[in-house]
Amino acid sequence: MKKVIKRVSVLFLVIGTLYCVQSCKNKNENSNSDYQSVADFAFKEKLSDYGFFIGKLKDLKSNEGILSYKLNSALFTDYALKDRFIVVPKGTKMKYTSSGVLDFPNGTILIKNFAYTNTDHQKIMIETRLLAKNPKDKKWYVMNYLWNKEQTDAVKHISGANIPITLLDEENNIVSTTYKVPNTNDCKRCHVNQAVLTPIGPKAMNLNNVVSGENQLGKWADSGYLQGLPEITKVPVLPNWEDEDTYDLNQRARAYLDINCAHCHTKGGDAFNTGLFLEYGQNEKSVVGIMKEPVSAGGGANGLNFDIVPGNASESILYNRMDSTVPGTAMPELGRSVKHKEGIKLIHDWIQSMK
């Protein structure tokens, strides 16, 4: 009997050893498990350490279980090319709430990669930003990763950076500028509402679009990544500000202001004290800026009297601040060093169309 027990004990010891060896081997061969664990979250030193992508890192070929996503209207950042992904931990789902907001599960990581097109029409990586929901305190935290010159990896970078670049804009015009990688506190200024860090872009209405012939939110629901989604026709839509065929001038301009300005110009946002609120659903004319006197613009108003003067863009503070790159005047204050010609024209035409 003792021999039998001894043999069984040895057998279990061997099985346990083999399991441990195989587990360690699997972890080394595929770090996929790292990003899917919600325990003991901490930002890693290098982007490659997470296992988000397979193959060459710069190709951004997402690993299994990582969702790429597309926005209807996106924030302008010096004509940067942006690739966006959501990491949803295994065994969890995003939730669509009655207010139309997505509730992301603990352990979620939002990935946003920034790149530019150089004069040789090559895609050059600049930075990758992570917004992670820590399962311990259920709060969001941000971290930036700066890509190396070899384009092989990105390293954790807290203090920000100024990077001289020469890029091609949407019309293939050559633009030379100094791209500003924000420090983590800069990121917080835009992402904080009511003293709570929160995502900006991936709102349900900004994700309600068709990708490869299928509704993006509907696909996530069908694939088990999203629960509580109502009939898609009942989900609000933020217009694509570039889509002139589907949306009118007012809808496009308001969508542009929502994604580029409303994260600060909203109740609880960084620009709350201005009284200028630019959410897409905001209907009160004075609150949107029409014939509204500035509260705290200071020298940024350049002597002008109203945020928006109907039919007169040149006399409107909002338009003039968008059409500037001078620190203290330019709006948005962060995230750009060059003028967004297409966005400026849109807001100009919108103001001119007002009666």
Side-chain angles (χ1 to χ4, degrees), residues 61-129:
K61 184 178 180 182
S62 57
N63 217 325
E64 182 180 358
I66 294 183
L67 307 175
S68 63
Y69 68 94
K70 173 187 173 184
L71 300 178
N72 292 330
S73 286
L75 185 90
F76 173 75
T77 311
D78 286 354
Y79 293 102
L81 308 173
K82 299 178 184 179
D83 296 279
R84 302 173 176 86
F85 304 87
I86 301 176
V87 181
V88 182
K90 278 186 175 178
T92 66
K93 295 181 180 182
M94 298 177 283
K95 296 178 182 178
Y96 183 92
T97 66
S98 58
S99 61
V101 175
L102 289 186
D103 181 17
F104 295 96
N106 296 329
T108 297
I109 301 177
L110 303 178
I111 308 167
K112 186 159 68 169
N113 187 80
F114 295 73
Y116 68 95
T117 302
N118 69 9
T119 54
D120 293 324
H121 295 273
Q122 299 170 322
K123 183 179 179 180
I124 306 297
M125 305 296 180
I126 311 174
E127 60 164 323
T128 297
R129 302 177 193 174

Side-chain angles (χ1 to χ4, degrees), residues 52 103 279 331:
F52 293 147
D103 181 17
E279 310 95 329
M331 282 288 175

Side-chain angles (χ1 to χ4, degrees), residues 235-250:
V235 179
V237 178
L238 182 71
N240 177 351
W241 71 264
E242 298 179 275
D243 187 354
E244 298 181 33
D245 295 329
T246 306
Y247 302 104
D248 63 33
L249 180 59
N250 180 65

Side-chain angles (χ1 to χ4, degrees), residues 226-240:
L226 174 63
Q227 66 182 32
L229 184 70
E231 184 181 338
I232 204 64
T233 56
K234 296 180 180 179
V235 179
V237 178
L238 182 71
N240 177 351

Side-chain angles (χ1 to χ4, degrees), residues 248-268:
D248 63 33
L249 180 59
N250 180 65
Q251 290 172 316
R252 293 168 51 232
R254 292 298 308 278
Y256 183 90
L257 293 174
D258 181 283
I259 192 60
N260 282 277
C261 312
H263 45 274
C264 289
H265 284 275
T266 188
K267 292 182 179 179

